[in-house]
Amino acid sequence: MEKDFFISYNKADGQWAKWVAGTLEEYGYKTIIQAWDFKPGNNFVLEMQKAILSCKRTILILSKSYLESEYCQAEWASIFNYDPTGERAELIPIRVADVKPEGLLSSIIYIDLFEQQEDVAIKKLLNGVGYSENPRKKSEFPGGQNNGNSGKQLENDNDVQFLFDLEEDNNVDKFPVSTKNNLREWYYSNHKSEFEVIINDKRQLSISAHLNEINIKLKQYDLTVKEEVEYQNYIKALRKCEHESLLKEKAIELFLKDDGVQAYLCINNYLELLDVVKSILEYDYYDQQKHRDNQYVQLDIFLDPAPEECHEHFVVCIEKERIDKQLGGHSQYDLFGSYVIDLGKNIIKDIIIGYYLFLSEEILDYNNVQLIHNKKVMNLLTYRAGLH
C-alpha cells in the first residue's frame, strides 16, 4: 500500500525523525521510518529503495550530520532525479539545526523548525506538508531538551488542539475526525481544557510550490519583467494568507471562549458550534469587492460606549436582499438610535463573525491585548448599528 512520507535522516537525528513521523501519523498520514519499519536481517539498501518507491514524498531531516553523510546524499539525490523542478514537491526538507543547504538542495524551500517551540513546530510542519489523523507513538519533542532550543511542552496535559483544513478555494470541505472528536469532548466537559486553534491553509502550500518553481529559475537565469511581477504577487498573496489564517485562528479562539454569544445563538451542541467556526474559516477577509457592490449593504457597528483600548467601529457587509427581507423592505441608511431593531439571528451571526475578526485584528495588528479584559468590549450585544 502506498504511503505518504518516507523520512530520510541521519542516525544522529533519530529523535527528530521519530517526532516528525509521530506528529504526521497523529494527523492521519502514513509514514515509513527506519527506526520503526526496518527489521533486523533485512537488506538495508533494498529496504531503502522499497521505502522511497512506495511513498508519495520524502522528508529530509536537515542537519549538519545529514548534509555531511554520503548515504543521506544518495537518498535525496535519487528522488531529486524524479522531480528536478520541484513541481510535484516530492522532496520536503525540514531544517532542524543551524545549517544552510547548498547546491541543488538550496533551490527547494524547506520547513524551518530550528529553535521553534513545539506548538509552532507542529503548525509549521502541518502547513508545510498539507494535512489529516491517529497513530504510533512519537518521541518527546527534541526542541525542548539538550540541543539548546527554546521549545517547551504544552503547559497543561489536558490541552487540546483543534486543527482545521482550509482548501485552496477558501472553503472547508470537511472537518478532520480528530478535531471533531476533540471538540466534542471539550464541549461536553464544559470547556474545561485549554486549547489551541491551528488552521492548515492549503493556499499557502500551493503558493509556496509556485514560489519554489520561480526560485529554481532564479538559479538558472534572470527573471523577465513578467516573472518578477508574478514573483512579487505570489509573495504578497502568501503574506495575506498567513495574516488571514492568524486572524481566523484568534477569532475562532475568542468565539469558543464566549459562552454568552453561544447562548444568544442558542448553540446546544458542538455541531452547531462547528457551523459558526466554518463560517469564520470561510470568511474572505481581503474581499474589498463587497464594499463597492450595490448588492451589499455596509453595516456599521459602533462600540458604545467607545472603549479606550481599541478602535470604536468596524464594518460588516451583508447582502442587501437579506437586510431588506429582515426589515420589511425598508432598509434606511440611518443610524439605529436607542430603540431596538431586530436584525435576526442569521444576520447577527454575520456581525458576530465580523466582530471576532475585528477583535483579532486589534490584538494581532495593534497589540491591544488588554481589550479582552474589558467586559463591555467583549459584550457584543450592547452595541448599536447603522447602515450606509
Side-chain angles (χ1 to χ4, degrees):
M1 182 177 69
E2 189 178 40
K3 299 200 175 183
D4 298 296
F5 299 105
F6 170 60
I7 313 296
S8 173
Y9 65 100
N10 182 273
K11 63 182 180 180
D13 305 307
Q15 194 166 357
W16 266 114
K18 286 185 282 186
W19 182 86
V20 168
T23 299
L24 291 172
E25 293 200 2
E26 279 188 355
Y27 289 94
Y29 290 110
K30 303 297 182 184
T31 69
I32 294 180
I33 175 173
Q34 179 187 344
W36 293 340
D37 298 295
F38 289 18
K39 307 301 180 186
N42 290 152
N43 183 299
F44 176 79
V45 175
L46 291 179
E47 289 298 308
M48 192 70 68
Q49 183 182 25
K50 283 196 302 183
I52 292 173
L53 294 176
S54 63
C55 291
K56 299 174 185 175
R57 294 186 283 175
T58 297
I59 286 175
L60 318 179
I61 306 298
L62 291 186
S63 68
K64 187 172 184 292
S65 300
Y66 187 89
L67 294 174
E68 291 178 349
S69 168
E70 293 181 358
Y71 291 105
C72 294
Q73 290 177 30
E75 288 173 27
W76 70 257
S78 65
I79 296 113
F80 188 89
N81 288 333
Y82 291 110
D83 186 25
T85 66
E87 182 178 356
R88 297 188 299 273
E90 292 188 6
L91 271 181
I92 304 177
I94 297 179
R95 191 176 83 121
V96 300
D98 189 12
V99 295
K100 184 177 181 180
E102 297 179 349
L104 293 175
L105 265 186
S106 65
S107 66
I108 304 175
I109 297 174
Y110 56 75
I111 300 170
D112 195 359
L113 303 189
F114 178 57
E115 291 189 337
Q116 300 294 331
Q117 296 183 5
E118 183 170 17
D119 54 348
V120 176
I122 291 172
K123 180 177 178 180
K124 284 193 168 191
L125 174 62
L126 295 176
N127 280 341
V129 302
Y131 166 72
S132 228
E133 36 209 87
N134 218 355
R136 294 177 285 187
K137 187 177 174 71
K138 65 181 178 184
S139 67
E140 290 184 0
F141 178 60
Q145 299 181 15
N146 296 327
N147 58 359
N149 291 356
S150 57
K152 65 178 182 181
Q153 303 297 323
L154 293 173
E155 294 180 2
N156 190 324
D157 289 339
N158 294 323
D159 287 356
V160 294
Q161 288 183 338
F162 303 138
L163 192 142
F164 303 100
D165 287 336
L166 192 60
E167 302 298 327
E168 289 186 39
D169 58 1
N170 200 39
N171 288 318
V172 178
D173 288 342
K174 61 181 181 179
F175 291 105
V177 174
S178 62
T179 294
K180 293 203 296 190
N181 288 339
N182 286 342
L183 192 60
R184 182 193 297 111
E185 183 177 349
W186 173 83
Y187 181 80
Y188 292 118
S189 64
N190 296 318
H191 309 177
K192 288 182 178 178
S193 301
E194 291 297 318
F195 63 85
E196 179 186 18
V197 176
I198 298 175
I199 296 176
N200 172 38
D201 189 344
K202 295 183 180 180
R203 297 174 301 175
Q204 295 182 36
L205 185 64
S206 176
I207 293 170
S208 295
H210 289 298
L211 284 172
N212 191 30
E213 292 176 14
I214 296 176
N215 282 329
I216 291 173
K217 293 179 181 178
L218 280 170
K219 303 291 182 183
Q220 301 168 349
Y221 56 81
D222 288 337
L223 297 180
T224 64
V225 173
K226 182 179 178 181
E227 288 171 331
E228 285 283 3
V229 172
E230 185 181 39
Y231 182 79
Q232 292 301 320
N233 287 338
Y234 279 131
I235 291 292
K236 290 177 183 177
L238 184 61
R239 296 293 172 262
K240 282 184 176 180
C241 287
E242 291 171 345
H243 181 244
E244 188 177 41
S245 290
L246 288 173
L247 291 177
K248 289 178 177 180
E249 286 173 354
K250 177 57 70 174
I252 292 170
E253 176 192 332
L254 292 172
F255 166 66
L256 292 178
K257 290 180 177 179
D258 196 334
D259 294 338
V261 164
Q262 291 172 31
Y264 178 81
L265 293 175
C266 300
I267 290 176
N268 296 311
N269 60 68
Y270 86 101
L271 291 175
E272 293 173 346
L273 208 68
L274 278 175
D275 181 59
V276 178
V277 169
K278 184 174 187 291
S279 297
I280 295 174
L281 288 166
E282 294 181 340
Y283 188 93
D284 193 342
Y285 181 79
Y286 287 102
D287 184 8
Q288 296 298 315
Q289 185 63 35
K290 289 182 179 179
H291 293 270
R292 298 185 291 270
D293 194 331
N294 59 14
Q295 299 299 312
Y296 286 85
V297 170
Q298 293 185 43
L299 188 62
D300 291 307
I301 310 297
F302 298 89
L303 285 66
D304 186 15
E308 296 179 359
E309 295 90 343
C310 65
H311 294 89
E312 64 174 352
H313 162 258
F314 65 98
V315 176
V316 178
C317 290
I318 309 288
E319 294 92 335
K320 189 175 185 299
E321 182 181 355
R322 291 172 61 200
I323 292 285
D324 286 340
K325 183 177 180 181
Q326 184 65 31
L327 302 184
H330 299 289
S331 56
Q332 300 297 318
Y333 305 115
D334 303 333
L335 183 69
F336 293 165
S338 58
Y339 54 91
V340 175
I341 294 180
D342 183 12
L343 291 174
K345 287 252 171 46
N346 286 331
I347 293 177
I348 290 293
K349 187 180 87 168
D350 287 348
I351 294 173
I352 287 170
I353 291 168
Y355 175 62
Y356 286 126
L357 286 164
F358 160 74
L359 284 182
S360 299
E361 187 178 35
E362 290 290 326
I363 292 170
L364 297 175
D365 292 359
Y366 303 107
N367 199 31
N368 294 334
V369 292
Q370 69 273 22
L371 66 86
I372 61 176
H373 301 298
N374 184 330
K375 292 184 179 180
K376 289 183 179 179
V377 173
M378 298 303 291
N379 183 9
L380 178 63
L381 307 181
T382 65
Y383 298 158
R384 53 195 174 95
L387 299 171
H388 70 274

